[in-house]
Every structure is written in C-alpha cells, then in structure tokens.
Amino acid sequence: MLSKGTNPIQDKEWNEKVTKAADSFWSAFRMTENGKPKSGLLVYTFCLSFVMLAVYGAAFFVVIEGLHNLTAGLPVFWGNLIQSLAAAIVGLLVSILLHFVLTDKRLMFGTYLWLALYAAACLITLLIYLRGTGAVGALLTFYGWFVVIPLALGLAVTYYLFRRDYVPPKPDDEPDWKKSLQRR
C-alpha cells in the first residue's frame, strides 16, 4: 500500500489515514437504505462529466476537421488557437444550455471540476509514462492547446453562472435527523 516513511508505526498510521479518506470519498457513491444516493450532486456531476467528455470529443473532431482547410495557411500558433477556441465554444454552448435547463445550478460547475480532476490525472499519468523521452514537450504543448484552454474557459464560465444563479436552499426549522425519521 502507500508508504510515507521507513517507520512501521508511521506507515501504519499513514495507511489508515489514506484508507479512511478513500472510504469517506467512495461512501458518497453508495446508496442509502431507501435506494437514494448519499450525495446526489456528486453522482450527477460524475455522470454528467462523461456526457461533457463526449461533447468535447465530438466538438474537437468536428471543429478540427471543419477548420483544418481554413487554418492550413495560418501559422501553427493561430491555427491551434482558433481550433481550440472553436471547440471550447461548442462545449461552452452545451454547458450554458444545460445550466439553464437543469434546476440545480451547481451541476455544470461540478461537472467541470470532475473534468479538471480527469485532466490532472491524465497529465500526471502521461508524464510518468513519458519521462525520459523527448515527447514530454510535445505532450505539454498539446495539453495546453486542447485541454487547458477549453477547461479553463469552461471552469470560468460555469463558476460565473453558478455564482450568479445559485440560490442556497432555505434552512428548515427541523434538524436533518428529524426529517429522515418522518414518513411521507
């Protein structure tokens, strides 16, 4: 398992902390006794993140194919920038549409947080696999153009929309434990 140092007592404490943190994270995906997810927001944003991955994949495929001939005569910097921004705008339009259609205004920002987590995990994994090769520079260039720009724009726009439109629920007079015991 994970090891922090060479001291067995510290290793055991470290492993217990990591296991406890992992269990608390994954417990949010488990169901309650009545079949509802413990954290609906976490589950919904997780599932919606795969939808947005498909949207961005399709956007990049269509935009890059469609703009290739138009940007072929431009310098590489401008061609990549135009293609990246065009695909980002397509993804943003879908995100904005979903933001206005969905009732919970936290969903799209949470979805982009999942996408940022995926992007960070992919980057770390690829850097580990490509270390010592000459491909790291090309990877970082590609990553900057086609991951960082759309992700940064998406995070900025959805955070703005979240802050503008989200209204926290009004607190009820009864504590949560009483609500869970009441029959409906």
Side-chain angles (χ1 to χ4, degrees):
M1 202 157 196
L2 297 174
S3 178
K4 187 175 181 184
T6 57
N7 185 340
I9 295 172
Q10 287 178 342
D11 287 348
K12 183 179 178 186
E13 291 173 359
W14 174 255
N15 287 340
E16 287 173 359
K17 285 181 184 179
V18 169
T19 303
K20 185 178 176 182
D23 288 343
S24 68
F25 172 76
W26 288 112
S27 71
F29 287 98
R30 293 189 187 117
M31 301 291 181
T32 61
E33 290 108 23
N34 58 359
K36 294 182 179 178
K38 286 187 178 179
S39 174
L41 178 68
L42 191 64
V43 173
Y44 298 146
T45 57
F46 178 73
C47 293
L48 198 53
S49 68
F50 288 109
V51 171
M52 290 307 297
L53 280 174
V55 166
Y56 274 109
F60 273 109
F61 178 75
V62 169
V63 165
I64 289 175
E65 287 296 319
L67 292 177
H68 178 70
N69 291 335
L70 297 173
T71 59
L74 295 175
V76 174
F77 174 83
W78 291 109
N80 285 344
L81 182 64
I82 290 169
Q83 291 175 354
S84 178
L85 288 175
I89 289 170
V90 170
L92 276 176
L93 290 175
V94 172
S95 297
I96 292 169
L97 175 70
L98 286 173
H99 176 80
F100 289 118
V101 169
L102 299 171
T103 56
D104 191 349
K105 301 304 178 189
R106 303 173 294 174
L107 289 175
M108 289 315 299
F109 181 62
T111 298
Y112 273 93
L113 291 176
W114 276 110
L115 293 176
L117 182 68
Y118 302 154
C122 287
L123 179 65
I124 291 168
T125 303
L126 287 170
L127 288 175
I128 289 171
Y129 281 123
L130 295 176
R131 73 174 178 255
T133 65
V136 172
L139 168 70
L140 293 176
T141 302
F142 175 82
Y143 190 83
W145 284 117
F146 299 106
V147 176
V148 172
I149 290 175
L151 188 59
L153 286 173
L155 279 168
V157 169
T158 56
Y159 180 73
Y160 168 75
L161 290 173
F162 160 69
R163 295 293 294 171
R164 186 189 75 180
D165 297 338
Y166 180 66
V167 177
K170 295 179 183 174
D172 293 334
D173 295 314
E174 296 179 342
D176 287 337
W177 65 270
K178 275 190 175 180
K179 287 187 239 174
S180 65
L181 296 176
Q182 293 176 351
R183 294 180 188 233
R184 296 180 193 249

